[in-house]
Amino acid sequence: MSLAIQSLVGLTLLICGAVTALPEIAHERLPRSQPLARVQGGAALWLVQAPGQRWYLGGQAIESGRLASLVRRQAGPVALHYLPSAALPIGEISRSLAWLRALKAGPVLIELPPAVGR
């Protein structure tokens, strides 16, 4: 075998190996969900947002103004678990998430329902 053929075979094997390893490399860079630590000694509030700026706290309807004052009055750290409706556009979810984060210095955790039918 000539040097050109050996080089070509070596280059082919190198490229095939790199292409084969590519999914494994890309898989490692995907974000992974991890359980978050609870707020030490703090409360947890579960909020659901439905279309039309309707909010629910613990299953009960609540106005956004009352919700804001209730969150601000919480003593100590409070973890807000935010569950947006699937019918909400992403822009509204983003604005609501920023609004919730501005209410109180504490974690705001966005909770997403599991995908159905996939």
Side-chain angles (χ1 to χ4, degrees):
M1 254 202 283
S2 71
L3 184 60
I5 292 176
Q6 290 177 347
S7 297
L8 185 59
V9 169
L11 182 63
T12 303
L13 291 175
L14 182 65
I15 290 173
C16 289
V19 169
T20 303
L22 192 60
E24 187 64 30
I25 293 169
H27 177 70
E28 292 298 319
R29 296 190 179 259
L30 294 176
R32 296 181 186 160
S33 63
Q34 298 177 353
L36 297 171
R38 290 187 53 113
V39 175
Q40 294 292 334
L45 297 176
W46 292 84
L47 306 169
V48 177
Q49 184 184 13
Q53 286 296 320
R54 292 178 303 179
W55 290 89
Y56 298 90
L57 175 64
Q60 301 293 322
I62 188 169
E63 297 172 353
S64 60
R66 281 188 52 219
L67 175 63
S69 66
L70 180 90
V71 170
R72 286 185 183 121
R73 284 185 289 145
Q74 290 289 321
V78 60
L80 297 176
H81 295 266
Y82 171 52
L83 290 84
S85 168
L88 292 172
I90 193 72
E92 188 171 345
I93 292 172
S94 177
R95 284 188 298 276
S96 297
L97 193 57
W99 176 71
L100 289 171
R101 285 184 175 151
L103 289 179
K104 181 134 181 135
V108 178
L109 311 170
I110 189 164
E111 304 284 340
L112 301 174
V116 179
R118 290 187 184 185

